[in-house]
């Protein structure tokens, strides 16, 4: 199963479980239905001297071909509903207490992430802001505060099985708990303009020690920010003697 | 058996198409000309590269800029040295578009084509003090951008000609250099601009009794009187 996308969040296996349940049930009925169609198509194919019958579906025997499958399929539906309800409840209706908070801003066509700085609080001047580069600590509950600067985007981390639209003017909270350190893909999953396909980012899941080291390095100026204010040299303007004398 | 021929054809066509599309995604050099590649840019930069205003998004004219400068800037957008600051809203857009080009050859080809387009001509702002603009330009900008703003491709300078640029765009960029949105330790060329427009220019403006806004306005007007020729 290694060629499937890895699942590295606390609820990835639950969501995959639903996926496989749906695939198995639908797959079963697909094969049964196609099998019957093909079997009948062969069995009742055109034969010399046999006239085609006009079947109106009025007898109970004929109607049973509709109603029995309907009942069975609705039962499968119920099965899926029950299985979904608990996962939905745990993933979308429950908000475990945050260990860390991250601000996620979607814009055409990049993701901007605000990390709590050394003070452990979001929305303070020491926040670490990066473009397309999200860092989180393994086995910690991460709350993401999703916003958009311009149009609809969708913040999607396939390995976390996390996907949520970002909507201009709204702030949406989501959560995930990464379980395996590594570097994974982040994408935009909602067509958002010309550059939508280039709106990819990266999430680095790391141990607390690595995360602290990263934060220290950023704070010390070996910054993750390409455009961070430069410690620029003293102004080297042309000497004043070049002032045109009028 | 009568349906078998169209059916076989459909199967072959489907397979052929999926094969072709998988090749297109494999990153082969496209072999597109600069002009063809430029089709990707016209949505924002306009059919002749003269810039346009789409809703609230104003996109700069790039027609007639020097090829070496265009190449350099597109490469910067591609490798996170320009347009990668969280507050650089427009830069982040262009960064994504620069990544739609496939490799150095395409960057070169599209740059050569844009350089061949006729530059946009702007009339100098008559409300400005062009004389003071000249003084400021001569003191602060000329050393790198040249007496006629012809630009300087010398590897130690690499300052572009500004005459093909629109005034609103230059003004926006000056603010970006001043606020650390453009020019960083990763972008040494951009960094050359930072002390000039953030520190030196306000100082010189003060000496001449002008505010920074006036200084910017005057320099922009003066640039529009220059030829851009060496
Ligand atoms: Cu998007």
């Amino acid at each position: 199963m290694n060629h499937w996308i890895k699942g590295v969040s606390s609820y990835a296996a639950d969501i995959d479980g639903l996926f496989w349940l749906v695939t198995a049930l639908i797959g079963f009925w697909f094969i049964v239905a196609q099998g019957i169609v093909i079997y009948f198509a062969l069995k009742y194919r055109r034969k010399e001297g046999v006239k085609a019958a006009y079947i109106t579906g009025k007898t109970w025997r004929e109607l049973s071909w509709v109603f029995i499958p309907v009942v069975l399929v609705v039962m499968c539906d119920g099965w899926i509903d029950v299985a979904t309800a608990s996962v939905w409840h745990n993933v979308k209706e429950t908000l475990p207490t945050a260990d860390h908070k991250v601000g996620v801003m979607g814009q055409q066509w990049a993701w901007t992430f605000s990390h709590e700085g050394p003070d452990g609080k979001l929305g303070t001047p020491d926040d670490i802001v990066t473009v397309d580069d999200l860092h989180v600590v393994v086995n910690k509950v991460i709350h993401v505060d999703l916003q958009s600067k311009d149009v609809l985007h969708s913040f999607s981390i396939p390995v976390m099985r996390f996907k949520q639209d970002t909507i201009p003017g709204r702030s949406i909270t989501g959560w995930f708990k990464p379980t395996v350190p590594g570097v994974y893909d982040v994408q935009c999953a909602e067509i958002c303009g010309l550059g939508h396909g280039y709106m990819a980012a990266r999430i680095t899941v790391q141990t607390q020690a690595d995360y602290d080291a990263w934060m220290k390095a950023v704070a010390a100026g070996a910054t993750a920010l390409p455009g961070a204010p430069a410690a620029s040299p003293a102004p080297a303007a042309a000497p004043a003697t070049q002032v045109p004398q009028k | 058996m009568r349906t078998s021929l169209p059916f076989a054809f459909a199967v072959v066509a489907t397979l052929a198409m999926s094969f072709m599309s998988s090749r297109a995604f494999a990153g082969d050099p496209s072999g597109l000309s600069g002009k063809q590649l430029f089709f990707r840019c016209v949505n924002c930069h306009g059919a002749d590269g003269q810039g346009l205003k789409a809703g609230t998004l104003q996109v700069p004219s790039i027609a007639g800029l020097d090829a070496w400068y265009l190449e350099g800037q597109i490469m910067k957008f591609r490798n996170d040295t320009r347009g990668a600051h969280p507050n650089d809203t427009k830069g982040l857009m262009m960064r994504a578009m620069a990544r739609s080009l496939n490799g150095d050859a395409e960057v070169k080809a599209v740059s050569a084509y844009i350089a061949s387009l006729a530059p946009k001509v702007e009339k100098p702002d008559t409300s400005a003090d062009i004389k003071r603009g000249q003084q400021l330009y001569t003191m602060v900008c000329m050393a790198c951008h040249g007496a006629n703003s012809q630009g300087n491709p010398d590897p130690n300078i690499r300052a572009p000609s500004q005459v093909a640029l629109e005034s609103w765009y230059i003004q926006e960029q000056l603010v970006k250099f001043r606020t650390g949105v453009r020019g960083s330790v990763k972008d040494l060329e951009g960094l050359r601009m930072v002390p000039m427009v953030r520190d030196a220019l306000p100082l010189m403006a003060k000496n001449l009794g002008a505010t920074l806004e006036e200084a910017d306005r005057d320099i922009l007007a003066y640039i529009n009187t220059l030829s851009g020729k060496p």
Side-chain angles (χ1 to χ4, degrees), chain A residues 150-240:
Chain A
D150 36 44
V151 298
L152 288 184
H153 300 277
S154 179
F155 183 61
S156 156
I157 316 175
V159 289
M160 301 292 167
R161 306 296 188 266
F162 183 91
K163 185 191 281 173
Q164 171 66 52
D165 279 13
T166 71
I167 302 172
R170 246 200 240 179
S171 161
I172 298 173
T173 303
W175 73 279
F176 56 87
K177 183 175 171 187
T179 53
V180 183
V183 179
Y184 310 104
D185 291 340
V186 174
Q187 63 189 3
C188 177
E190 179 68 60
I191 297 276
C192 59
L194 276 179
H196 168 65
Y198 300 95
M199 199 168 158
R202 203 171 299 119
I203 176 172
T204 306
V205 179
Q206 47 200 171
T207 59
Q208 188 72 51
D210 287 351
Y211 182 80
D212 292 344
W214 171 75
M215 201 151 70
K216 239 192 190 150
V218 174
T223 167
L225 266 194
S232 57

Side-chain angles (χ1 to χ4, degrees), chain B residues 27-32 102 106:
Chain B
D28 297 340
S30 62
L32 295 173
N102 190 359
E106 291 199 353

